Amino acid sequence: MNDAAIPELSGLRRAALVVGTLGVVASLAGAWLDPAQFFRSYLVAFLYCAGLSIGCLAVLMVSHLTGGGWGVAIRRPLEAGAGVLPLVALLFVPLLFGLPSLYTWTQAATMAADEVVRSKQAYLNVPFFLVRAVVYFAAWLVMAFFLARWSRAQDRTGDPRYADLMRKLSGGGLVLLGFTATFASFDWVMSLDPKWFSTIFGLLFLGGQGLGAMAFAIAVAYLLSSRAEYARALKPTILNDLGNLMLAFVMIWAYLAFSQLLIIWAGNLPDEIPWYLRRISGGWNVIAIGLAVFYFAVPFLVLLSRGNKRRHRRLAAIATGILIVRAFDLFFLVAPEFSPERITAHWLDVATLAGAGGLWLTMFVRQLGTLPPLAPNDPDLAGALARKH
Amino acid sequence: MSIHSDARTPRLYGLMAEFDSPDALVAAARRTQEGGYRKFDAYTPFPIEELHEAIDAHRTAVPLLVLIGGIVGGLSGYGLEYWVSIVAYPLNIGGRPFHSWPAFIPITFEMTVLFAALTAVFGMLALNRLPEPYHPVFNAPRFALATRDRFFLCIESADAKFDTAATRRFLESLGPREVTDVEP
């Protein structure tokens, strides 16, 4: 039922399957040749895929809470994206074998050498790290499971009770998601440098995930819009709303990223500042400037124009650009920790992203194929279709 | 209904048609637009989404003004800080360079927003030629109802196609409640 349901996406699914398979084979070869590099590259690839699913879940819950035509238009891509969370949990497993090479706090020698790190031992230890990861995934999977279950029940029966249930779950769920995603970002990314800390980091990470999910949903909606029944919900005013939401996420990310920089720059403390010093020296500053230009300045300026937001083709092109730059954003968070002296990239960076991303996309298209194109009993559907333009 | 007006030398501001419903007004505005009139306006008690298109309210210059205002504000904010910190009164603060750009960004941002917002408000007022103590449309006898439950369409005599008799016939063909003269 999957391939036949969405013929527009069968090309994407085939491409994802081929690229994913090649990426997995290359990644396995790389894992055998250079395990340490494999885990470094794979962490970025995992964060990219996990971020898409968590971001989709977050934006989906926001749309359940607020309602509105924009939510109707991208609800199915968001639901399918959150539906890939079981695969994301599976993709987390290989990282467990790389904990000693990724996180220096797992080694007794680092612990013994540094008093600051030693004082964090109650939090930074492998058993508690694993327990927390299980809690995060349990929270996300349970929320995604119930939202998917009620959404299908709503499609089948049209009972207004389900919209109410989804809204109630989303209210508390967003709070839970905020906490779990914050601590997940502390565990998986921030602890790469066990001495460094930034309280804004969790929200910054979540903002990036929201931006990625929004861009992804807009791009997928463009592929789906060749179908008449789907295009009905993608009127210029709704595209304008979607573009504005993406613009809001661009601005949130830039605001938080700059706030973090400003606070640490102004404090200029020896525990905090090295994280930035690594990222503005040895050629890494090229990526830093590239992110300021292509993750903030350019998307911000092009998304100001109504003409760019109201034409789906242009909006989807902007979204695709953001999705590409997002990989550099995550690479910039992880890679300088392992090569502070000078900028390096490895073919495994591409191979692992292709492998994990290909698998993620394959399962995404499968999920999307099992759902009718627009939620037929969404309380906001009638309002969205009644819009004149 | 001035005794001085005649069909050949229009001394009116325009002709005002009164409608009972928003739908009638939108339909009338569309037909006025199709009828070749360009200088006309509609007056309603509440915003009507379709009307914007029906009277072909073209793009305004406000967004451009706001952009310029924002750029000017941002540049002047950064410029002021640069001038103070580097030229006029350089201070060594924590051993940082005089040109410490991260510290300049919040003020630059605030000045951008402030200038953009002020340009939006005052630019809108200026483009609407507000405040305007006198406007001829209020001479139409029942125009006060435009703030209650009636919908008005006024074709102005400045329109190239305006002809008091012909335009009156045209407006009456749109099915209004009544058509009245608007004294200048």
Side-chain angles (χ1 to χ4, degrees):
Chain A
M1 123 162 234
N2 45 53
D3 220 19
I6 313 181
E8 289 78 13
L9 292 185
S10 61
L12 181 68
R13 184 167 171 267
R14 262 196 305 279
L17 203 54
V18 171
V19 171
T21 313
L22 289 175
V24 168
V25 172
S27 301
L28 289 176
W32 185 68
L33 289 169
D34 186 351
Q37 179 60 48
F38 165 78
F39 287 118
R40 289 165 196 176
S41 303
Y42 182 70
L43 178 60
V44 175
F46 165 76
L47 291 171
Y48 193 90
C49 297
L52 282 179
S53 280
I54 301 165
C56 281
L57 183 60
V59 179
L60 178 67
M61 293 203 284
V62 170
S63 91
H64 279 313
L65 269 184
T66 64
W70 67 273
V72 176
I74 57 168
R75 182 169 154 187
R76 288 290 124 111
L78 293 176
E79 285 178 337
V84 191
L85 271 168
L87 176 70
V88 172
L90 208 62
L91 288 174
F92 184 69
V93 173
L95 281 178
L96 300 179
F97 299 96
L99 294 186
S101 73
L102 281 173
Y103 301 103
T104 51
W105 51 262
T106 54
Q107 270 128 39
T110 338
M111 280 291 183
D114 198 310
E115 199 183 334
V116 174
V117 182
R118 203 160 54 236
S119 65
K120 297 185 181 180
Q121 205 161 15
Y123 186 85
L124 287 181
N125 60 72
V126 175
F128 192 28
F129 177 92
L130 297 178
V131 168
R132 287 195 305 267
V134 169
V135 171
Y136 306 148
F137 278 111
W140 301 333
L141 285 168
V142 166
M143 291 191 289
F145 172 79
F146 278 105
L147 286 179
R149 188 192 169 98
W150 291 334
S151 178
R152 276 160 210 264
Q154 186 192 42
D155 284 356
R156 241 185 358 259
T157 63
D159 189 338
R161 194 167 64 95
Y162 292 112
D164 198 43
L165 281 172
M166 287 191 281
R167 192 164 53 241
K168 282 183 176 143
L169 176 69
S170 299
L174 272 175
V175 177
L176 184 61
L177 186 91
F179 278 107
T180 47
T182 295
F183 282 100
S185 77
F186 291 174
D187 288 6
W188 301 343
V189 189
M190 204 163 92
S191 80
L192 287 170
D193 175 356
K195 286 175 80 170
W196 186 69
F197 63 93
S198 161
T199 44
I200 232 171
F201 192 78
L203 210 52
L204 176 59
F205 203 72
L206 197 55
Q209 292 177 336
L211 175 59
M214 205 65 218
F216 179 73
I218 288 172
V220 171
Y222 177 66
L223 293 178
L224 293 173
S225 65
S226 51
R227 273 174 115 173
E229 72 232 85
Y230 199 81
R232 289 184 307 161
L234 290 165
K235 305 210 167 73
T237 49
I238 287 180
L239 289 171
N240 200 51
D241 292 347
L242 291 172
N244 278 334
L245 280 167
M246 192 157 72
L247 175 61
F249 274 115
V250 167
M251 291 196 287
I252 287 173
W253 179 86
Y255 175 80
L256 295 174
F258 179 76
S259 301
Q260 179 178 281
L261 168 70
L262 182 66
I263 290 165
I264 289 177
W265 173 85
N268 206 14
L269 297 173
D271 280 352
E272 297 176 344
I273 208 78
W275 194 86
Y276 276 108
L277 293 182
R278 284 193 288 275
R279 282 163 178 78
I280 57 170
S281 57
W284 288 110
N285 55 341
V286 174
I287 299 192
I289 294 166
L291 285 176
V293 173
F294 295 106
Y295 212 42
F296 170 62
V298 171
F300 174 75
L301 289 175
V302 294
L303 284 173
L304 285 180
S305 144
R306 266 160 71 107
N308 288 340
K309 280 179 286 199
R310 290 180 176 232
R311 296 191 182 86
H312 205 167
R313 203 183 155 79
R314 287 194 202 170
L315 194 61
I318 297 165
T320 310
I322 288 175
L323 283 173
I324 293 168
V325 186
R326 172 139 176 81
F328 286 90
D329 174 27
L330 292 170
F331 182 67
F332 185 67
L333 291 179
V334 173
E337 295 300 328
F338 300 105
S339 171
E341 293 81 23
R342 59 184 189 82
I343 186 166
T344 49
H346 198 271
W347 60 268
L348 268 168
D349 294 331
V350 180
T352 49
L353 191 59
L359 292 182
W360 191 94
L361 208 53
T362 309
M363 185 164 168
F364 170 81
V365 177
R366 247 186 90 89
Q367 289 276 323
L368 197 59
T370 60
L371 304 162
L374 288 171
N377 296 316
D378 190 305
D380 288 317
L381 181 65
L385 296 183
R387 290 206 197 186
K388 292 217 169 70
H389 46 78
Chain B
M1 297 293 170
S2 161
I3 49 165
H4 299 293
S5 74
D6 73 42
R8 299 181 65 82
T9 52
R11 291 187 51 207
L12 294 172
Y13 171 75
L15 286 166
M16 178 84 81
E18 177 185 338
F19 296 91
D20 281 325
S21 72
D23 290 342
L25 176 68
V26 171
R30 281 216 179 92
R31 286 188 51 198
T32 311
Q33 180 72 33
E34 286 156 16
Y37 292 99
R38 288 296 171 266
K39 284 194 188 294
F40 66 99
D41 210 344
Y43 305 88
T44 61
F46 49 81
I48 300 169
E49 208 183 341
E50 297 95 328
L51 192 59
H52 188 74
E53 240 176 59
I55 65 172
D56 193 29
H58 28 260
R59 292 164 163 269
T60 71
V62 172
L64 183 65
L65 286 178
V66 171
L67 180 68
I68 293 170
I71 291 171
V72 168
L75 287 179
S76 52
Y78 199 97
L80 176 69
E81 287 181 285
Y82 186 89
W83 178 75
V84 167
S85 314
I86 288 101
V87 181
Y89 205 80
L91 268 183
N92 183 336
I93 301 168
R96 294 198 175 83
F98 293 132
H99 184 206
S100 285
W101 64 268
F104 295 177
I105 298 293
I107 306 291
T108 306
F109 170 74
E110 298 293 347
M111 288 290 277
T112 308
V113 174
L114 178 69
F115 273 56
L118 290 179
T119 322
V121 174
F122 290 108
M124 178 276 292
L125 291 177
L127 289 174
N128 284 327
R129 297 203 202 100
L130 289 171
E132 187 167 3
Y134 174 81
H135 197 286
V137 286
F138 292 97
N139 293 335
R142 288 163 57 84
F143 188 69
L145 294 175
T147 60
R148 283 198 237 154
D149 56 353
R150 292 284 189 272
F151 304 83
F152 292 88
L153 183 79
C154 180
I155 300 182
E156 292 157 27
S157 63
D159 192 293
K161 235 191 131 193
F162 188 87
D163 173 277
T164 311
T167 302
R168 174 178 280 279
R169 277 198 303 279
F170 172 77
L171 280 175
E172 270 160 0
S173 75
L174 301 176
R177 201 183 159 91
E178 67 172 334
V179 177
T180 51
D181 294 351
V182 182
E183 302 287 324

